[in-house]
Amino acid sequence: MSIPEEKIYPRTGDAQTIYLNAAITNPNIKIGDFTMYNDFVNDPIDFEKNNVLYHYPINHDKLIIGKFCSIACGAKFIFTSANHNLKSLSTYPFPLFWEEYGLEQQDVTQAWDNKGDIIIGNDVWIGYEAVIMSGIHIGNGAIVGTRAVVTKDVEPYTIVGGVPAKPIKKRFNDKTIEKLQSICWWNWDKEKVHEKINDIMGGNIDKL
């Protein structure tokens, strides 16, 4: 399917930054409006191939990313099929080689542990080459640091970093976080975002 170029590239002359939902074809990947991806190594249009890994249709797991997220170059989303079955006495994925071992092809999913969907909230910033593992939920407004490996859920408006990623600090006090969660500015229409853009950028929570 041909996607109009102006819907993919929001910045004039910049082919490295895209509105991600305009480039997605996989029905198990849902991306919110205005979420952007930047890639200065590969074509950002190839996000599904280069960044969403081990995401096989047989598992029916989903990548869900909210609105107004910022995803940096090389961020990876690692899905269930990367998780070899830990209940087995061996980590070798025997069910993948059903012909070799006389197993049933329809039982191939027994080769891995099913961790579930990856769900990213709104206004989340995912840093350069960060890795998000299967089954992880990241709350609204969170920040994932450069090359962090996220193995546990991340609370809203929390900055995490490291391997494995751990909380560094909250972005705002509890009262401000509660108000932002209540306002949900990312669900406003574009005209209202334009109207309040200076207050959003300026941190004027009382004027939202």
Side-chain angles (χ1 to χ4, degrees), residues 3-11 17-20 22-23 45:
I3 302 172
E5 186 170 304
E6 65 272 13
K7 292 183 67 176
I8 302 176
Y9 303 103
R11 286 164 40 91
T17 304
I18 63 172
Y19 282 149
L20 191 53
I45 297 296

Side-chain angles (χ1 to χ4, degrees), residues 143-195:
I143 297 174
V144 178
T146 294
R147 290 182 171 161
V149 177
V150 183
T151 61
K152 294 182 178 179
D153 291 352
V154 179
E155 293 293 318
Y157 291 93
T158 299
I159 302 172
V160 300
V163 182
K166 295 180 180 180
I168 297 172
K169 66 177 183 178
K170 293 279 190 179
R171 290 180 57 198
F172 307 111
N173 61 43
D174 290 343
K175 182 180 178 181
T176 300
I177 291 173
E178 183 178 348
K179 188 168 184 178
L180 284 166
Q181 292 277 69
S182 175
I183 291 172
C184 296
W185 65 262
W186 43 82
N187 288 330
W188 293 348
D189 58 37
K190 193 173 181 180
E191 289 71 25
K192 186 170 183 180
V193 173
H194 278 189
E195 178 188 341

Side-chain angles (χ1 to χ4, degrees), residues 86-136:
L86 298 185
K87 297 174 186 175
S88 171
L89 298 179
S90 171
T91 60
Y92 190 81
F94 289 107
L96 288 178
F97 307 99
W98 63 85
E99 295 167 300
E100 186 78 17
Y101 297 101
L103 302 173
E104 296 296 329
Q105 183 176 358
Q106 65 266 24
D107 295 333
V108 67
T109 57
Q110 294 180 8
W112 49 76
D113 289 333
N114 192 339
K115 301 290 186 178
D117 301 337
I118 295 175
I119 301 177
I120 312 296
N122 304 280
D123 191 26
V124 173
W125 174 18
I126 299 176
Y128 175 73
E129 291 190 344
V131 176
I132 315 299
M133 301 303 292
S134 59
I136 294 300

Side-chain angles (χ1 to χ4, degrees), residues 37-67:
Y37 174 60
N38 172 269
D39 199 321
F40 50 82
V41 177
N42 300 300
D43 188 340
I45 297 296
D46 293 329
F47 178 86
E48 287 182 19
K49 179 182 73 174
N50 296 329
N51 303 78
V52 185
L53 307 181
Y54 301 95
H55 190 218
Y56 303 141
I58 194 171
N59 293 314
H60 307 292
D61 41 11
K62 294 177 174 58
L63 172 60
I64 301 172
I65 301 177
K67 302 175 183 178

